[in-house]
Structures are given as structure tokens and as C-alpha cells.
Amino acid sequence: MQKNTIVMILGIILAVLLMIELLYLYYYHRWEHLWALEEREQVYKVKQPSKDALKLIVIGDSWAGLHSKGGLDSFLQSHLAKQVMEPVSVKSRGKGGEKTKGIYHLIYESGEYGLRPLLTDGADYCVVFAGINDAAANLGTRQYCYYYRLIIDFLLTNHIRPVLVEIPNVNIWQIYGDKPIKDLLSDYVKSKMTNCRMYSYKEYREALFTMLTNEHLIEKILYVKMDEWDPSSPQIDRDLFMDDQIHLNRKGYEVLDSCIAKAVAEDFSKVD
């Protein structure tokens, strides 16, 4: 009797494990398109910016979108002009919630959020905001670095200096932590499938820097680290963020833009 009970228990355990494995495989094939890597698109040529003014554009996710909507373009333009002592043009465009893959595709689109019209006119520098949404969606560092590399390659091919802003210590759990249990479980499984901790922006930040270093891109870009504009790191400075602890407030943008302006001005002086 005892032997039969043990066999039955083992059978139940094996059945449960098999069911979990089958569910894992089912959802992996259902979701794998989310972190698949697509072929790069052919790089189109953009105009060379006028020598009469330094031209800077800002692209990316909601951080770029709010930069435009909040009127920060004029702040950055004025701040940078004072440092380089010549006319400056700043324009930004971003799409809230967009991942790095989507930002790359927007480079080839001309609709409401399309970046092609902005890029076609050319630029000297391009600030890129990307990564928080990749981490929030648990899409994996492999995809994140792949599409970020494509964005960088597009800019460098067109002689536009990329200005990459390191992902700060945002609080992703502040927004996504109160999801229904089934959605949290789904995100957890996705994080396992992509070999990244759930909502872990740190892994994405570290993976990007490693890729930039290993592929010798770090000397071809400007890399704005979080502790250069947020000295309270690794703790988030709530004075610089909205209540959601994900998006910058006006003060936060002004602090960050001042740091971006300094980096660009110093680089621009070397070019001259």
C-alpha cells in the first residue's frame, strides 16, 4: 500500500512537471516574436547640417516625447548656445511606451511619431532615450543591445554623433508592481525566457555599456552617465522625477539637459 502511494505521488509530480514544461514551451512559441531579431533596414542618406548652426535632435520614448511637449527644446537650445557661443537648433520627438526595437523602426517612418522627417534634415548630434520600456516589458538585453546598435549605426553612417543617456535608477515597480497576479506571473515567465531579472533596468544598462565597450563604439559616441546629472544615485532623486518615479519633471529635465549641453559643448570644441 505504501509503495503504491509513493508511485502515485511520483506520478502526480511528473505529470505536474510535464504540464509546466508544456505550458512553458507553448508560451515561449507564443511570445518569441516579441524578442525576435529582425534584419536591419537599408540606411537612407540624410542632409548634412548647415555650418551656420549646431543642430541637435532628441529621439526615443516618452522621455523624448515629454521633452518636446514640455518646451524643453528651447531650454536646451538656449543653454547649449551659451556654451558653444553660436546658434543652436534643437528638436525632439518621442513615443511614449516605445521600446528600442520600435524606436529603430520609427527612424524609417513619417507618421505622427515617425522620425524620418526629423532625421532627413540632418543633425550634428542626436540624443537617444531608450531602454526603460524594454526592461519593463522583459524583452531581454540581447534584443535591446541589438536594436540600439542599429540606431547607433544609422546615426554614425550619416555622420551624426550619438548622445546616449544611461538608464537611471527608475522605479519600474512603482507603475507595474500593482498589475493583476496573472500579468505579473506572465512578466516573470518572460523574464525567465529572456534570462533577465524581472523589471531589472540594471542588467540592460550594464549590457549596453558592455556592448559599446566590446565593439569599440564608446569612443564614437557621447555617453551621459546617470551619476553625472543625478548625484543621488544609486537612490532615485525624487525631486527630479514625477510622482510615478519613471518620468522626469521640469527640474529633472533642466538638470539632465544641462549635463547633455556640457557634454556636447566639450565635444564640439574638440571638433573645432
Side-chain angles (χ1 to χ4, degrees), residues 135-136 138 141 172 196-205:
N138 302 288
T141 57
I172 297 177
C196 287
R197 285 173 295 169
M198 188 173 171
Y199 306 152
S200 176
Y201 57 85
K202 291 182 180 179
E203 291 186 52
Y204 291 77
R205 182 169 64 206

Side-chain angles (χ1 to χ4, degrees), residues 50-253:
S50 169
K51 298 297 182 182
D52 297 333
L54 186 154
K55 190 170 184 180
L56 182 147
I57 58 177
V58 182
I59 66 172
D61 51 27
S62 57
W63 278 42
L66 291 172
H67 193 278
S68 176
K69 293 178 181 178
L72 275 302
D73 288 358
S74 58
F75 173 85
L76 179 55
Q77 181 172 301
S78 174
H79 206 72
L80 182 55
K82 292 177 182 177
Q83 297 193 46
V84 298
M85 301 298 290
E86 63 177 78
V88 172
S89 170
V90 174
K91 292 182 180 179
S92 60
R93 182 174 298 172
K95 183 179 180 181
E98 197 59 88
K99 290 81 172 174
T100 308
K101 177 181 178 180
I103 296 168
Y104 172 67
H105 286 311
L106 286 173
I107 288 175
Y108 294 86
E109 297 178 13
S110 301
E112 180 182 2
Y113 297 105
L115 300 172
R116 187 162 189 149
L118 195 64
L119 288 159
T120 300
D121 287 337
D124 296 291
Y125 294 88
C126 178
V127 178
V128 183
F129 291 122
I132 294 176
N133 295 306
D134 294 71
N138 302 288
L139 295 180
T141 57
R142 176 171 172 264
Q143 186 192 81
Y144 172 57
C145 292
Y146 175 78
Y147 285 104
Y148 220 135
R149 174 63 192 266
L150 295 187
I151 293 171
I152 293 171
D153 286 348
F154 176 90
L155 296 173
L156 290 176
T157 300
N158 280 297
H159 309 290
I160 301 173
R161 184 86 147 163
V163 183
L164 309 189
V165 179
E166 186 178 55
I167 301 177
N169 292 322
V170 294
N171 190 347
I172 297 177
W173 280 95
Q174 174 74 9
I175 291 183
Y176 297 99
D178 60 352
K179 281 184 175 182
I181 295 297
K182 64 180 183 64
D183 292 335
L184 287 174
L185 181 60
S186 173
D187 284 346
Y188 173 76
V189 174
K190 287 176 183 176
S191 72
K192 289 299 181 183
M193 291 177 176
T194 56
N195 296 314
C196 287
R197 285 173 295 169
M198 188 173 171
Y199 306 152
S200 176
Y201 57 85
K202 291 182 180 179
E203 291 186 52
Y204 291 77
R205 182 169 64 206
E206 293 167 359
L208 179 63
F209 188 78
T210 298
M211 183 271 286
L212 294 172
T213 303
N214 291 345
E215 298 189 20
H216 306 289
L217 291 169
I218 199 71
E219 63 269 17
K220 298 179 181 179
I221 67 167
L222 298 184
Y223 190 73
V224 181
K225 292 186 176 182
M226 60 178 178
D227 56 9
E228 293 177 2
W229 62 276
D230 185 5
S232 65
S233 297
Q235 298 300 316
I236 187 172
D237 187 344
R238 294 176 183 271
D239 289 340
L240 304 180
F241 286 80
M242 296 182 183
D243 291 340
D244 63 14
Q245 299 180 41
I246 290 285
H247 300 97
L248 292 173
N249 56 27
R250 177 81 189 189
K251 178 182 177 182
Y253 274 115

